[in-house]
Amino acid sequence: MANIIVQKYGGTSVGSPDRIRNVAGRIKRYHEEGNHVVVVVSAMGHTTDELVDLADKITKNPPKREMDMLLSTGEQVSIALLAMALWDLGVPAKSFTGSQIKMITDGNFSNAKIQGVDRSRIDAALNEGNVVIVAGFQGIDQNENITTLGRGGSDTSAVALAAVLGAKECEIYTDVDGVYTADPRVVPQASKHSQITYEEMLELASLGAGVLHSRSVELGMNYDVVIHVRSSFNNNPGTLVVNEDKIMEKLKVSGVTAKNDQARITIADVPDKPGLAAVLFGDLSSKDILVDVIVQSSPYNGRNTISFTVPKKDLVQALPILESFSNSQGAKKPEINEEISIVSAVGIGMKSHVGVAAQMFKALAEKEINIEMISTSEIKISCVIPRIHAETAVNKIHETFGLSKNG
Amino acid sequence: MANIIVQKYGGTSVGSPDRIRNVAGRIKRYHEEGNHVVVVVSAMGHTTDELVDLADKITKNPPKREMDMLLSTGEQVSIALLAMALWDLGVPAKSFTGSQIKMITDGNFSNAKIQGVDRSRIDAALNEGNVVIVAGFQGIDQNENITTLGRGGSDTSAVALAAVLGAKECEIYTDVDGVYTADPRVVPQASKHSQITYEEMLELASLGAGVLHSRSVELGMNYDVVIHVRSSFNNNPGTLVVNEDKIMEKLKVSGVTAKNDQARITIADVPDKPGLAAVLFGDLSSKDILVDVIVQSSPYNGRNTISFTVPKKDLVQALPILESFSNSQGAKKPEINEEISIVSAVGIGMKSHVGVAAQMFKALAEKEINIEMISTSEIKISCVIPRIHAETAVNKIHETFGLSKNG
């Protein structure tokens, strides 16, 4: 039986007719080597944004079911065009929507979770000699309503297919050629990983080094699918995202990131009563406001100070909630600081190396950068610092942990 | 049980977000009167042309299955936006693709025929209080491949739904406010019909007065669905397309048209042997070249002259076929005249009125217009004349049969 290869091409890779033809050329090579090739594609370039703008001209509050109906057309255009480009090169190809391959999801429109895929139609098309092209980002619920998996969801479609089809590897083609130790635009010395663990990738993705959709990494981890992040513009090997046990030497720190889209909120003089934090953060999450770093001081005179970060774009929605909380609890008025950055170091090796946090704090101290909040997890240390020092901090931490090229 | 109304809005009617909101306002009124409203929409404005252009940049020879996959996205965008616009006006609405309502067709991509529709999902959505919005122009074959019904196919989707749902009338909203006795741009005195028969509409449609998709008229005729052609830009009643027996006084001539996109081909000295015409026209039809008027002279000295018209755009493809036919039969070289017009008069009343053809020839003679070919059917008379006289001819015939306003 032929080897099954699953490849995913992102919106930039299929952003124009010429690029689609290039992608077809690449797929042709794999097909001619005798592989069974299954390709997942995103919408072309800025199509999804354009569709969102179109909806915005109709209503400020589109029903999610109809939004998914609208957005899923972007990928459908891409699959048809890519199939045409392959036929034009003499390669038989068949495109399929999420509905046609029974990519079944829950009914959570705009952020649906995959529940299963029926491989029979894919197998039939492959056995006829076709390249199979699948629309990413989309599925159907039990009632055949069209659902979408959230921004970046095509990665998840691809990894799910790789898992169902038993492919050893899922290639994710994008406009960067792998996962770096830091954003090369900020840290010129950043270098590319040849391997990284799922856990590290998850932390890096959620920190905004957004190469992969988080759920695709979780799926890869759960089904042991190696994810190969690489560029569609060259033939260089990229970064393999793998299980921890496949990596011999675990780096203490494998990536350093800065997140600048957050604001810090501080509420002082909160009574030290059980359940108050749950009330506050429950109210925020009911408005879909994602709270990131949370720090609560030890109580003093029966009063606490709670600090946390929220996306700046959600401040307008968050403020009334915060003020009514402060008023009802007799706490101080919330203070807001938008000039912050969350600088983080991520590494699977932290689990077994002590002193990583101390090393990071020392690095920041050497640059006289004041740390305003600290939050740590098993494989991540995050510090909130003044926004103005973000670049200096990232470069210094990157250097401190020996990540710089020739460093 | 509530009254079911089926409405179809064409591409111009939903050509922009503002127009979509206007259409939603119109639908809302019908919904608030307590009707069950089912709406079929086309792709917005020039969307289909833009998608065809996109495919053309990928390949000059796109596989039809993938072309249908591509083009069907246009209507999917429209249904989602229209549903959003209705919700924005407080009207519950649900959009459905051809696949979701099981609009089953044959597998003839790009020109599929409807075989059936499953009304259960539509009924369920209507009974929940929704306006149901269906993507026109598209269906699926037995294997769930997406098919399209050919240009203008949304009319056919709408009439098919009206037939299946037992609606008394199918409203086709377009950018003209009905069916006229002639093209008002050519004949300023043209007037709007309040009623016209299916047969007349079929002849007028195939003559290029392309208000309705021909198959929609055939379906209406077969299932006795009254088709109401009207404008989406005002509230005037339009033209009802009905059964012959519903029309009391049948006009001898109900419409006059001119078709200027054809070229005349004449081949002289064709041997008078049985089967030769079948060979020639069989070869042309195998290349999808649609031959319109055909005239063959009585044989003289064992030789015939065959004249016929084909679309100018197909001349390049037709020529080699014609030349090889002439060579093999020892006939004269084909002569081509692109400066012609086919002027036709259509009327159900011709069946029972004699002398209509003579009246038409006399009208042309009065204007000293030479008739180059004549072809007649039960309810249509067509004359091929020099292109330069087309406007004069149409106006004169229109006047002759008493169709002009105040005339």
Side-chain angles (χ1 to χ4, degrees):
Chain A
M1 199 173 124
N3 188 32
I4 291 187
I5 291 184
V6 176
Q7 303 184 323
K8 179 255 172 178
Y9 293 90
T12 315
S13 305
V14 295
S16 69
D18 279 348
R19 288 188 174 176
I20 289 174
R21 294 161 66 90
N22 280 342
V23 164
R26 181 182 290 268
I27 294 168
K28 182 183 184 178
R29 291 202 303 277
Y30 286 88
H31 181 257
E32 283 178 346
E33 286 165 6
N35 300 297
H36 277 175
V37 187
V38 176
V39 179
V40 175
V41 271
S42 302
M44 292 173 71
H46 301 288
T47 304
T48 306
D49 291 330
E50 286 160 17
L51 289 170
V52 170
D53 286 349
L54 198 53
D56 193 56
K57 285 184 187 137
I58 299 277
T59 174
K60 298 300 162 197
N61 192 21
K64 286 184 170 181
R65 177 186 187 277
E66 302 303 329
M67 202 66 189
D68 283 4
M69 176 68 91
L70 179 69
L71 295 185
S72 64
T73 61
E75 281 70 21
Q76 194 174 327
V77 168
S78 303
I79 57 173
L81 294 176
L82 182 54
M84 290 177 192
L86 281 160
W87 281 101
D88 198 57
L89 297 179
V91 179
K94 259 191 181 172
S95 69
F96 295 100
T97 61
S99 166
Q100 288 173 329
I101 58 157
K102 308 267 179 287
M103 175 78 78
I104 305 292
T105 70
D106 61 22
N108 188 14
F109 294 113
S110 87
N111 199 24
K113 306 273 181 303
I114 297 174
Q115 296 178 331
V117 187
D118 175 7
R119 64 178 288 172
S120 61
R121 190 145 193 207
I122 297 173
D123 285 332
L126 288 172
N127 289 330
E128 285 164 23
N130 293 293
V131 169
V132 166
I133 302 173
V134 174
F137 176 64
Q138 58 179 253
I140 49 168
D141 69 10
Q142 300 288 354
N143 299 315
E144 284 186 48
N145 294 302
I146 294 174
T147 54
T148 67
L149 311 180
R151 277 286 165 121
S154 293
D155 295 339
T156 304
S157 309
V159 176
L161 283 173
V164 166
L165 297 170
K168 280 191 304 251
E169 190 177 301
C170 179
E171 294 184 321
I172 306 280
Y173 286 92
T174 176
D175 51 353
V176 298
D177 56 2
V179 180
Y180 278 73
T181 52
D183 183 341
R185 287 167 302 184
V186 177
V187 182
Q189 296 298 315
S191 57
K192 193 177 71 182
H193 287 289
S194 59
Q195 289 188 320
I196 194 170
T197 66
Y198 298 114
E199 291 83 353
E200 287 168 319
M201 196 64 222
L202 278 174
E203 289 290 7
L204 290 169
S206 69
L207 285 170
V211 182
L212 282 181
H213 195 220
S214 292
R215 287 216 310 283
S216 70
V217 182
E218 291 166 11
L219 260 184
M221 182 158 59
N222 292 341
Y223 291 93
D224 206 13
V225 174
V226 173
I227 302 174
H228 187 175
V229 178
R230 56 192 302 196
S231 169
S232 62
F233 301 114
N234 60 50
N235 288 312
N236 303 337
T239 300
L240 299 176
V241 188
V242 298
N243 254 326
E244 195 182 335
D245 56 20
K246 293 202 179 119
I247 295 188
M248 292 294 288
E249 195 190 352
K250 283 142 195 141
L251 291 172
K252 280 197 289 190
V253 169
S254 56
V256 184
T257 61
K259 205 168 163 184
N260 298 326
D261 61 347
Q262 301 275 310
R264 187 191 61 184
I265 293 162
T266 304
I267 307 180
D269 266 3
V270 179
D272 184 28
K273 287 193 298 197
L276 277 192
V279 168
L280 175 59
F281 295 115
D283 287 351
L284 288 171
S285 89
S286 75
K287 295 281 176 191
D288 278 335
I289 299 171
L290 210 69
V291 175
D292 192 343
V293 182
I294 302 176
V295 173
Q296 182 177 317
S297 64
S298 308
Y300 177 77
N301 281 346
R303 296 267 154 178
N304 284 325
T305 297
I306 301 180
S307 292
F308 52 92
T309 67
V310 299
K312 284 180 197 168
K313 68 175 173 57
D314 292 333
L315 274 179
V316 175
Q317 265 206 300
L319 273 183
I321 298 173
L322 302 173
E323 279 168 4
S324 103
F325 175 82
S326 289
N327 286 340
S328 67
Q329 302 303 331
K332 290 261 169 69
K333 207 170 152 359
E335 282 171 30
I336 294 163
N337 183 348
E338 299 192 45
E339 297 302 316
I340 61 148
S341 182
I342 306 176
V343 176
S344 303
V346 170
I348 199 86
M350 282 185 203
K351 290 186 190 177
S352 48
H353 287 81
V354 290
V356 176
Q359 242 182 307
M360 180 161 163
F361 303 154
K362 181 158 171 278
L364 292 174
E366 278 172 19
K367 290 287 180 184
E368 298 189 341
I369 297 170
N370 190 39
I371 302 175
E372 303 180 353
M373 292 164 75
I374 297 168
S375 163
T376 60
S377 77
E378 216 179 11
I379 67 165
K380 180 179 73 166
I381 304 163
S382 294
C383 297
V384 174
I385 63 168
R387 164 79 188 82
I388 197 173
H389 298 308
E391 294 205 4
T392 311
V394 171
N395 274 285
K396 176 68 180 171
I397 299 165
H398 194 266
E399 187 199 317
T400 296
F401 289 104
L403 297 176
S404 296
K405 274 183 280 196
N406 320 313
Chain B
M1 197 171 129
N3 187 34
I4 292 187
I5 291 184
V6 176
Q7 303 184 324
K8 179 257 173 176
Y9 293 91
T12 315
S13 305
V14 294
S16 69
D18 278 347
R19 287 186 175 177
I20 290 174
R21 294 162 65 92
N22 280 342
V23 164
R26 182 183 290 270
I27 295 168
K28 181 182 184 178
R29 291 202 302 276
Y30 286 87
H31 181 259
E32 283 179 345
E33 288 165 4
N35 300 297
H36 276 176
V37 188
V38 176
V39 180
V40 175
V41 271
S42 302
M44 292 172 72
H46 301 289
T47 305
T48 305
D49 291 330
E50 286 160 18
L51 290 169
V52 170
D53 286 350
L54 198 52
D56 193 56
K57 285 183 187 139
I58 299 277
T59 173
K60 298 299 164 199
N61 192 22
K64 286 184 170 181
R65 178 186 187 275
E66 301 304 329
M67 202 65 188
D68 283 3
M69 176 68 92
L70 179 69
L71 294 185
S72 65
T73 61
E75 281 69 21
Q76 194 174 328
V77 168
S78 302
I79 57 173
L81 293 176
L82 182 54
M84 290 178 192
L86 281 161
W87 281 101
D88 198 57
L89 297 179
V91 179
K94 259 190 181 172
S95 69
F96 295 100
T97 62
S99 166
Q100 288 172 329
I101 59 157
K102 308 268 179 286
M103 176 77 80
I104 305 292
T105 71
D106 61 23
N108 188 15
F109 295 113
S110 88
N111 199 25
K113 305 274 180 303
I114 297 175
Q115 296 178 330
V117 187
D118 175 7
R119 64 178 289 171
S120 61
R121 189 144 192 208
I122 296 173
D123 284 333
L126 288 172
N127 289 331
E128 286 163 23
N130 294 292
V131 169
V132 165
I133 302 172
V134 174
F137 176 66
Q138 59 180 253
I140 48 169
D141 70 9
Q142 300 288 353
N143 299 315
E144 283 185 50
N145 294 302
I146 293 173
T147 55
T148 67
L149 311 180
R151 277 287 166 120
S154 293
D155 295 338
T156 304
S157 310
V159 176
L161 283 172
V164 166
L165 297 170
K168 279 190 305 249
E169 191 176 299
C170 179
E171 294 184 320
I172 306 280
Y173 286 92
T174 175
D175 51 354
V176 297
D177 55 3
V179 180
Y180 277 74
T181 51
D183 183 340
R185 288 167 301 186
V186 177
V187 181
Q189 296 298 314
S191 58
K192 193 176 71 181
H193 287 289
S194 58
Q195 290 187 319
I196 194 169
T197 66
Y198 297 114
E199 291 83 354
E200 288 168 319
M201 196 64 222
L202 278 173
E203 289 291 7
L204 291 169
S206 69
L207 285 170
V211 182
L212 284 180
H213 195 221
S214 293
R215 287 216 310 283
S216 70
V217 182
E218 291 166 12
L219 260 183
M221 183 157 58
N222 292 340
Y223 291 94
D224 206 13
V225 175
V226 173
I227 302 175
H228 187 175
V229 179
R230 56 192 302 194
S231 168
S232 62
F233 300 116
N234 60 48
N235 288 312
N236 302 338
T239 300
L240 299 176
V241 188
V242 298
N243 255 325
E244 193 182 336
D245 56 20
K246 292 203 180 120
I247 295 187
M248 293 293 289
E249 195 189 353
K250 283 141 195 147
L251 292 172
K252 281 195 288 189
V253 170
S254 57
V256 184
T257 60
K259 205 168 161 184
N260 299 326
D261 61 347
Q262 302 275 311
R264 188 192 59 186
I265 293 162
T266 303
I267 307 181
D269 267 3
V270 179
D272 185 30
K273 288 192 296 194
L276 276 192
V279 168
L280 174 59
F281 296 115
D283 286 352
L284 288 170
S285 89
S286 75
K287 296 282 177 191
D288 277 336
I289 298 172
L290 209 69
V291 176
D292 192 343
V293 182
I294 302 177
V295 172
Q296 183 176 317
S297 63
S298 308
Y300 178 77
N301 280 345
R303 295 268 155 179
N304 285 324
T305 298
I306 300 181
S307 292
F308 52 93
T309 65
V310 298
K312 285 180 197 169
K313 67 173 175 55
D314 292 334
L315 274 178
V316 175
Q317 266 206 300
L319 272 183
I321 298 173
L322 302 173
E323 279 167 4
S324 104
F325 175 82
S326 289
N327 286 340
S328 67
Q329 303 301 330
K332 290 261 170 70
K333 207 169 149 10
E335 282 171 29
I336 294 163
N337 183 348
E338 298 192 45
E339 297 302 316
I340 61 149
S341 182
I342 305 176
V343 177
S344 304
V346 171
I348 199 88
M350 281 184 204
K351 289 187 191 176
S352 49
H353 288 82
V354 292
V356 176
Q359 243 182 307
M360 180 162 163
F361 303 155
K362 181 158 170 278
L364 293 173
E366 278 172 21
K367 291 287 179 184
E368 298 188 341
I369 298 169
N370 191 40
I371 302 174
E372 304 180 352
M373 293 164 73
I374 296 169
S375 163
T376 61
S377 77
E378 215 179 12
I379 66 164
K380 181 179 74 166
I381 304 163
S382 295
C383 297
V384 173
I385 62 169
R387 164 78 188 86
I388 197 173
H389 298 310
E391 293 203 4
T392 310
V394 170
N395 274 284
K396 176 68 179 172
I397 298 166
H398 193 266
E399 187 199 317
T400 296
F401 289 103
L403 296 176
S404 296
K405 274 183 277 195
N406 320 315

